Amino acid sequence: MTSTIQGTVEYVIHRNPANGYSVVEISDEEGLLTIVGTLPELTPGELIEVEGSFVTHPTYGEQLVVEHFAFCRPEGVRAVERYLASGIIKGVGPQLAMRIVSKFQEDTLAVMENAPDQLATVSGISAKGARKIQAQMLEKKEMRDALLYMDGYGIPLPLATRIFERYGAALYTVLTQNPYQLIDDLTHVGFRIADEIARRTGLAEDSAFRITSGLHYAMMQALEAGHIFLPFGSLLAYACELLGLPEDILAEGIENLAFDKRFVIREVAGVRVVYLATYYYMEMETAVRLKELGREIPLSEELVDREIGRIQADSELQLDEQQLLAFRLAVTCGLSVITGGPGTGKTTVISAILRFFEKQDMTVELAAPTGRAAKRITEATGRPAKTIHRLLEYMGKPENAADPDGPLRFTRNEANPLEADAVIVDEVSMVDLPLMYSLLKAILPGTRVVLVGDADQLPSVGPGNVLKDIIRSGVIRTTALSRIYRQEAGSDIVVNAHRINQGEYIDPSVKSNDFVFLRRSAAEAVQDAVIRLVSRSLPEYVGADPSEIQVISPTRKGPLGVEALNRILQNALNPPAEGKKERNFPKGTFRVGDKLMQIKNNYQKEWISDDGFTRRSGTGVFNGDIGTLQEIRFFTEELVILFDDDRKAVYQFAEAEELELAYAITVHKAQGSEYPAVVLPLLNVPAPLMTRPLIYTAVTRARSCVCLVGSPEVFQRMVDNNTEQRRYSSLHLQLMDTAEKP
């Protein structure tokens, strides 16, 4: 039940300037009342009207959660005098307020706003003081009128406040002439929000601003899907559906954006295609830099042979013919690629290459795309590895960046390159085009670069098809490892992963210690089995905590999608308890102790890391990062998350949309990670997701045990289907083009 209350601001207990969340004490005829919510900056003495629902906070008692807010103009002589006597206008106290109101009565506010000369006739007010009072009155009136104006168009108060703070009096021009400017000037405002405001303010549907913004949004959606470009016809069809405008108008809009150099139109494989200009040149420069790095290094064969012999004699590293080829290419070429499935000895080769470089007194940097992947390669080689972001000393994006698709900002770049003689990057299948571009900019020609990854895994979450494009170009020296080494006694994970990759039949009835299939035919039975495996059977079997066992589902929706499984697993692994804080959000309930995942890149999110010896800080939490909810701070509306790599970040409640439960995650989110045990529910999988790359990637995430629960027939259909969703990229063509040039 909602209540509407008009009162005077007495005290601002707390306000977060980043999002406007406020705790305010107001007074009305019945006494003091605490209100909470996203509010504009308030000053004691202001008269406001709020609408909302009363709640009883476990610590702070009864509060009104504000759903609607408005400034009020005091009415009546006594109300005006109380308003001015509150100190809301600097320089006006109770005595001066009484003299002003005594002289002007009902006209007091109008005089203060419009007639400073008359105001200066009051004892104690100079001409200069009168002008200062007028300026304050007009400023408050301006905000009140602006918020009222935007409320009339249904613009939510948090956004309206940000719009006013950004534009001031210019907001009327922006909202009526080009609401799409909000996308460039304010974070978290996208095309859909701006388009709805434009519709309400009456902007023409065929406005050039709307067409430009809609086409740009369509290309941004393509990037979200992993594409670097779109066929002209595909972009046109999507834009027609999005904007509801004829093809000829939108085709002209695409051509105009190309003329303005925001789009690039080219022909790829006989098809006319459209790029965002930023990404076209990013892909082109990436190809040029890859080609420049790929030059041969003058090393004598005698030296290489001698060092190979020493490495194999001094360690347990024994290299076969394929591994020796990969080793030779890595030490004699500026750039080389090593690819292969699980257990084929990629880490063995990396270790041998590291020993060679170190023997030559070379400075080596070891990196991977994610914290989990960096930790894995550290454990495997005994050498410290960093995330690529940390290696490049990530700085975030410019806060006022008009193009969210623009390059990331790193301290390390062409002007301040890495001080390394060699750079080895693992799990390159996860590296998207912008990150590869940023990495290459920070590497000087002459530096040895070794890229390592499994080309048969799913492509990166971000745009591009970097590893596959590099390999299929045929321009960069590549070694494909195929012989399986990691076949410990009784272990079938690696063997079956390769069988999956070859499309072979796997008998689900064969008993195995680490590749187990539990046949279930109903979703509820699959859920029950998943809970039992994660909470009881697998932790003891693999010697891990239940939080380390990862459920990986092909889909988000349905009874076996990550959304449903997360709710079920949360109640099983982290049930509510007396004294354990929790908070409901639109995406569900978050509880202290929950396993949470960041679901979008937040380049500005600040974090600290303190292990008791070293304290670090930085910005940037990235899509797929997983952590534990350590604390819920109700008073300041904050969540404290400790991520797996010991980074601690504080989230406002309003930022909770960037987080979701991570007891179950999608296959894409699991890329680059390895877990003691993995549980895969397989029953009613949507047809587009029933692919070999998806099941292959999921199975290869398990280190000690993988349990598939559901239908063997669904599993086999996924193994049989070697198709994958097409991803439009042209790095391989750019590489081939650079190779043809002298």
Side-chain angles (χ1 to χ4, degrees), residues 150-156 175 194-203:
M150 289 186 278
D151 183 63
Y153 287 113
I155 299 175
L175 294 180
D195 201 42
E196 180 60 23
I197 293 173
R199 184 188 66 78
R200 291 176 177 175
T201 56
L203 191 73

Side-chain angles (χ1 to χ4, degrees), residues 687-693 716-724:
L689 299 174
M690 291 185 63
T691 67
R692 186 185 301 171
Q716 193 58 48
R717 287 205 298 273
M718 294 178 78
V719 173
D720 292 340
N721 181 14
N722 197 29
T723 61
E724 58 180 301

Side-chain angles (χ1 to χ4, degrees), residues 323 339-346 481-486 494 498:
Q323 293 170 321
T339 185
T344 54
K346 296 190 296 295
L481 305 179
S482 57
R483 182 177 173 182
I484 304 172
Y485 283 92
R486 186 151 51 93
V494 172
H498 285 271

Side-chain angles (χ1 to χ4, degrees), residues 19-74:
N19 59 20
Y21 176 77
S22 303
V23 181
V24 178
E25 205 170 64
I26 67 172
S27 63
D28 64 359
E29 296 83 356
E30 297 184 9
L32 294 175
L33 169 69
T34 301
I35 64 171
V36 298
T38 303
L39 302 169
E41 190 167 358
L42 298 174
T43 304
E46 286 180 311
L47 188 63
I48 62 174
E49 184 174 273
V50 291
E51 181 182 330
S53 302
F54 280 99
V55 299
T56 301
H57 192 282
T59 304
Y60 305 110
E62 189 176 59
Q63 300 176 337
L64 182 81
V65 179
V66 177
E67 298 165 8
H68 183 80
F69 167 92
F71 284 106
C72 297
R73 191 177 178 89

Side-chain angles (χ1 to χ4, degrees), residues 157-426:
L157 178 63
L159 177 57
T161 302
R162 294 172 61 210
I163 291 172
F164 177 78
E165 290 173 351
R166 174 64 176 81
Y167 299 110
L171 71 88
Y172 302 99
T173 302
V174 171
L175 294 180
T176 55
Q177 295 186 10
N178 181 18
Y180 302 97
Q181 187 177 334
L182 300 176
I183 302 171
D184 293 342
D185 294 342
L186 297 176
T187 57
H188 306 302
V189 176
F191 174 77
R192 300 282 186 183
I193 293 174
D195 201 42
E196 180 60 23
I197 293 173
R199 184 188 66 78
R200 291 176 177 175
T201 56
L203 191 73
E205 284 196 346
D206 60 353
S207 157
F209 294 124
R210 182 170 188 258
I211 291 171
T212 296
S213 185
L215 289 170
H216 188 268
Y217 173 77
M219 289 302 297
M220 291 298 296
Q221 291 297 103
L223 290 175
E224 288 284 331
H227 304 301
I228 300 299
F229 64 80
L230 280 181
F232 195 100
S234 298
L235 173 58
L236 200 56
Y238 179 73
C240 284
E241 181 182 351
L242 175 70
L243 299 172
L245 295 173
E247 282 193 1
D248 58 336
I249 292 178
L250 295 177
E252 183 182 356
I254 295 171
E255 298 286 356
N256 288 339
L257 283 167
F259 181 79
D260 291 340
K261 297 185 173 16
R262 294 179 64 179
F263 284 2
V264 171
I265 300 175
R266 290 289 185 271
E267 190 170 289
V268 174
V271 177
R272 199 165 184 237
V273 306
V274 183
Y275 299 79
L276 278 170
T278 306
Y279 273 77
Y280 175 77
Y281 293 109
M282 189 186 296
E283 193 178 65
M284 176 186 289
E285 189 170 345
T286 297
V288 170
R289 289 177 181 272
L290 285 168
K291 185 64 171 57
E292 286 178 350
L293 286 170
R295 305 181 184 200
E296 292 191 9
I297 306 295
L299 281 180
S300 70
E301 286 190 26
E302 180 183 352
L303 170 65
V304 175
D305 289 341
R306 184 174 68 248
E307 291 304 324
I308 289 174
R310 285 180 179 175
I311 290 168
Q312 296 190 114
D314 296 343
S315 68
E316 297 178 355
L317 300 175
Q318 299 299 314
L319 307 183
D320 68 10
E321 190 174 333
Q322 288 180 338
Q323 293 170 321
L324 283 170
L325 175 60
F327 176 92
R328 289 181 183 279
L329 290 177
V331 301
T332 60
C333 296
L335 171 66
S336 65
V337 174
I338 302 171
T339 185
T344 54
K346 296 190 296 295
T347 304
T348 300
V349 181
I350 292 175
S351 296
I353 294 167
L354 281 167
R355 282 175 167 80
F356 178 88
F357 288 156
E358 289 166 354
K359 186 70 174 176
Q360 305 304 308
D361 293 325
M362 296 169 63
T363 303
V364 185
E365 292 285 3
L366 192 56
T370 67
R372 282 177 174 265
K375 185 176 179 180
R376 283 178 59 196
I377 195 65
T378 295
E379 292 169 349
T381 63
R383 307 299 197 280
K386 303 174 184 175
T387 64
I388 298 174
H389 286 82
R390 187 177 169 199
L391 174 68
L392 299 180
E393 299 171 23
Y394 178 72
M395 298 169 58
K397 287 189 176 183
E399 290 189 9
N400 60 346
D403 251 344
D405 55 311
L408 306 177
R409 292 191 310 157
F410 295 95
T411 300
R412 296 293 181 176
N413 50 39
E414 58 266 61
N416 181 31
L418 291 169
E419 297 170 5
D421 301 308
V423 178
I424 302 174
V425 186
D426 197 19

